[in-house]
Amino acid sequence: MPQTAPYTERRAAPRRQSGSILDRLDKRVPKQDSATGGSGAGAFEGLTDPKLKETNLSPALTRVEITPLTSFDGTIIGYGSVKESMYTMLKGFTSLVQKNKSTDPRVKAEAAQYVRDRLGGEALHGFLLYGPPGTGKTEFANAFAAIAKARLGSIPLTYYRLNAGVLKSSLYGATSAEYDKVFRTIKDGTKPVILFIDEAEAVFPRSGANTHEETHNAVATAKELLGKIGQDPEILVIMATNHVDRMDPAIIRTGRLDDRINVPLPNEREKFAMLQHYKTKSGLPFDQDIEWRNIATQLKHGRASGADIRGFMKTVGREVSSIEDAIQNGRLLVGVRRVVKGKNGEEEQDVLLQPPVHVNMPASIEEARNSADFDILDPATGATPEMLGLKITTATGNPNRIKSVKVTHVTNMMVQWALKKFDERSQTDLDGLRGK
């Protein structure tokens, strides 16, 4: 895990007033995609990702060409125990392959000794990655294949991904026939091979009293074929599931798979490191006193995955752009407090700035405050440009007209606002899945 700066306490941000612009601006800004969007790529994008090139061999089977990687650490933040378990599997699989195929006598001898002493001369069957959605199981499988490719050097490795979702068919015997075709391609093709089966519960579901006969037959076929390729020391199967409780117990028992590796939600230290990574990757000028450790704890009430953290940081970027765009286009009006000369000398006065584009706007800041048709950064409520890190440049010769606006630094208020929006969108997505 990369080193992170020590955490320092700071005073609490000023409390926002009810109904302030920060609670209402999103109603006037075009709606964005879901905050969590995409799959569980989580805390991995932007590190040294293995490059993927995919070739569909059939609707169910994809050959994935992947660039070599030297370690998990350049790809995945944290998860030390998961990496340790996978390094053990990596050493075993690559040693089995090198024992049979290496042309270097020294490498071949060392691999043979490892296989004899550590594996008892037996082949590895594979392992299962299980845990909540968004924790990076697919990224771990891809990185495993990329590191194996690097370690095998001149020995070519073939990496397949099985698309479980397209295997199901209502035609009697069709699913079993597709399984047979897929596994025959793997067994008879170039080796060594790593086969990744995502959503493994769809291929090997737990049976019940209401299980359809075709499903029974398909699962039986898949188990039989898996058993056959599992005897080959140059074929390794990686499975992944979000629902290990829905899988056939016969598949996940010891003997069919060599290990079951739990990929849990990241802990507080890992979430903090992920936030720091995305903060750097975003290129946004964040204030130094933002309470990132508190944000790691607050995200989804402490239940955030790597994918959630990535989604939240994208939300911060969107909200920054939304503020700039809304002011430029007159959807958000700006009030500033100035010292002006009055009848009784210098006095403070609130002034409404004109946006760069023509807008039928209120004649004064008082009128804007009383209008239901406008949102306003109002100095009277504390929602000032400074609190949001905005730099407002006015036109030459007209200090009341905005020439340009830019977020020069992302403040704690802005990040807390993005956190609120992220939580709202996440809840909306969840309600949609539940049919509310």
Side-chain angles (χ1 to χ4, degrees), residues 128 130 133 168 199-208 211 215 219 240-252:
L128 173 70
Y130 69 96
K168 301 298 181 183
E199 299 180 4
E201 73 278 5
V203 181
F204 304 105
R206 179 185 292 269
S207 61
T211 303
T215 302
V219 173
T241 181
N242 298 335
H243 307 286
V244 68
D245 56 312
R246 300 179 188 175
M247 288 189 65
D248 186 339
I251 287 294
I252 60 178

Side-chain angles (χ1 to χ4, degrees), residues 5-285:
Y7 171 61
T8 56
E9 294 290 340
R10 69 179 294 275
R11 66 183 183 276
R15 179 173 296 181
R16 297 213 312 264
Q17 296 192 18
S18 176
S20 74
I21 180 62
L22 299 186
D23 292 318
R24 297 182 286 123
L25 177 62
D26 62 315
K27 297 177 183 178
R28 294 185 175 274
V29 177
K31 293 298 181 183
Q32 305 286 350
D33 295 334
S34 164
T36 55
S39 62
F44 317 102
E45 182 185 280
L47 296 172
T48 312
D49 295 326
K51 301 288 190 299
L52 306 180
K53 180 181 177 181
E54 302 180 350
T55 303
N56 293 325
L57 305 180
S58 72
L61 190 65
T62 300
R63 183 175 64 239
V64 183
E65 296 180 27
I66 196 164
T67 56
L69 283 178
T70 56
S71 74
F72 290 109
D73 292 335
T75 303
I76 299 171
I77 295 172
Y79 287 101
S81 62
V82 176
K83 293 175 182 176
E84 183 178 351
S85 297
M86 295 189 75
Y87 276 127
T88 300
M89 296 299 299
L90 264 168
K91 179 65 174 176
F93 174 64
T94 54
S95 294
L96 282 161
V97 173
Q98 290 167 334
K99 170 180 173 288
N100 295 332
K101 292 200 166 182
S102 178
T103 57
D104 186 323
R106 181 183 60 81
V107 172
K108 196 177 186 74
E110 289 178 354
Q113 182 176 354
Y114 186 90
V115 170
R116 182 179 64 252
D117 296 347
R118 299 293 183 90
L119 304 180
E122 297 183 1
L124 294 175
H125 306 293
F127 59 94
L128 173 70
L129 299 170
Y130 69 96
T135 53
K137 296 179 287 296
T138 298
E139 283 68 31
F140 266 116
N142 290 341
F144 184 99
I147 298 169
K149 182 174 183 177
R151 292 190 175 193
L152 291 174
S154 61
I155 302 173
L157 172 70
T158 306
Y159 180 40
Y160 293 110
R161 184 176 65 241
L162 182 64
N163 184 356
V166 303
L167 282 170
K168 301 298 181 183
S169 174
S170 59
L171 298 176
Y172 187 81
T175 303
S176 296
E178 187 63 34
Y179 279 140
D180 186 68
K181 179 181 177 181
V182 165
F183 282 93
R184 187 183 297 111
T185 298
I186 294 167
K187 187 175 186 299
D188 297 341
T190 304
K191 300 169 189 172
V193 167
I194 293 176
L195 171 63
F196 175 49
I197 305 176
D198 201 2
E199 299 180 4
E201 73 278 5
V203 181
F204 304 105
R206 179 185 292 269
S207 61
N210 298 322
T211 303
H212 193 276
E213 180 183 0
E214 167 64 3
T215 302
H216 267 302
N217 294 339
V219 173
T221 299
K223 285 195 289 188
E224 180 184 357
L225 295 169
L226 182 67
K228 288 180 180 179
I229 67 171
Q231 301 305 313
D232 192 320
E234 295 182 18
I235 299 178
L236 185 77
V237 178
I238 304 175
M239 299 186 192
T241 181
N242 298 335
H243 307 286
V244 68
D245 56 312
R246 300 179 188 175
M247 288 189 65
D248 186 339
I251 287 294
I252 60 178
R253 67 173 172 80
T254 303
R256 286 206 185 262
L257 295 174
D258 300 285
D259 202 358
R260 289 159 292 185
I261 303 173
N262 182 24
V263 187
L265 294 171
N267 60 35
E268 296 304 311
R269 184 175 59 183
E270 290 164 342
K271 286 188 286 189
F272 177 67
M274 291 174 190
L275 284 168
Q276 294 298 301
H277 162 69
Y278 279 113
K279 180 186 77 169
T280 301
K281 180 175 180 290
S282 73
L284 292 172

Side-chain angles (χ1 to χ4, degrees), residues 15 34-35 37 102 173 207 277 297 359 371 394 401 410 420 431-432 434:
R15 179 173 296 181
S34 164
S102 178
S207 61
H277 162 69
T297 302
V359 177
S371 173
T394 56
R401 176 175 288 278
V410 182
K420 180 177 182 292
D431 290 344
R434 292 173 175 171

